[in-house]
Amino acid sequence: MMTQTAEKPAAARISVTAWRDLDDEARTLPGMALGTIDLPAATGETCDGLWRLGARRVALHEPVDLSADGPAAARRTVDVLCLVRELTARAVQVDWDLRLPADGGAEQWKLLSHLHPPRRIDGLPEADAALYAWRTHHYLCKFVWRQGPGFVQIRDRRWGELRRFTTDEPAYHAAIAALDAGTGHHEIPPPVLADLTGEHLVLRVGDLAWWLPYRVNRWLQEAMAI
């Protein structure tokens, strides 16, 4: 059981609906619906459990709301984002909605464009154009990270060309571990956080900072877990 702390409140359960098939028609056939599932946490282990259960399409019951105010709302938003990220990494189709803050900037959606495209975007005047670009340019492994012996490498294609970052510094490895589920920005050394934010590797949600890329789980070329 998770206990509540001052730094990070205990994660509330997230409810989803899941199916064994991606296709709109096929998922209506007998035996395709897995029903409503209450997830204990938005972690890779939880998503692995959904995959083993047979889930290939998952619908969230709440939006990812980047316009919400307050520590509890920020924590909830990051938890739901973690779920979208980890499902995307496992090639599970995610039905979700995104709500952007009015002052977030027209390009903010690109920070999240490695995730499975949402059904809709609220709070963005050019939402239709953004959704079209997101859907037509999305592919698996667009923005990923991997950990080797003594180093971490990030590969980012959200802006078209490949941007690759490699670090062997322990301070960055520790920061990534803390940021993966979202942590208070003051918990990360300011120079490290500034570097990661400057490279668009971190998203700020209220007082939390969250690690954007997902860890390599399935190759684009074939369904091979690594």
Side-chain angles (χ1 to χ4, degrees), residues 71 74 183-186 204-209:
T183 190
H185 63 87
H186 58 278
R204 287 287 298 272
V205 183
D207 288 335
L208 298 179

Side-chain angles (χ1 to χ4, degrees), residues 131-209:
L131 276 173
Y132 179 79
W134 196 332
R135 291 166 180 166
T136 55
H137 292 89
H138 178 263
Y139 51 86
L140 194 62
C141 296
K142 191 171 189 177
F143 182 30
V144 297
W145 71 282
R146 65 187 182 95
Q147 187 160 9
F151 73 91
V152 167
Q153 185 177 84
I154 301 100
R155 300 172 65 90
D156 184 3
R157 292 186 181 272
R158 289 172 296 171
W159 282 267
E161 76 280 6
L162 173 62
R163 302 179 182 181
R164 183 164 49 197
F165 313 95
T166 305
T167 178
D168 58 0
E169 299 179 44
Y172 286 82
H173 297 190
I176 291 169
L179 291 164
D180 190 58
T183 190
H185 63 87
H186 58 278
E187 299 293 332
I188 307 298
V192 174
L193 184 60
D195 282 348
L196 298 177
T197 303
E199 298 292 354
H200 305 296
L201 306 179
V202 169
L203 179 71
R204 287 287 298 272
V205 183
D207 288 335
L208 298 179

Side-chain angles (χ1 to χ4, degrees), residues 82-104:
C82 283
L83 183 61
V84 177
R85 184 190 65 193
E86 298 306 319
L87 288 171
T88 299
R90 287 153 180 80
V92 175
Q93 179 171 323
V94 190
D95 295 342
W96 64 294
D97 302 320
L98 175 62
R99 186 174 299 147
L100 296 174
D103 59 351

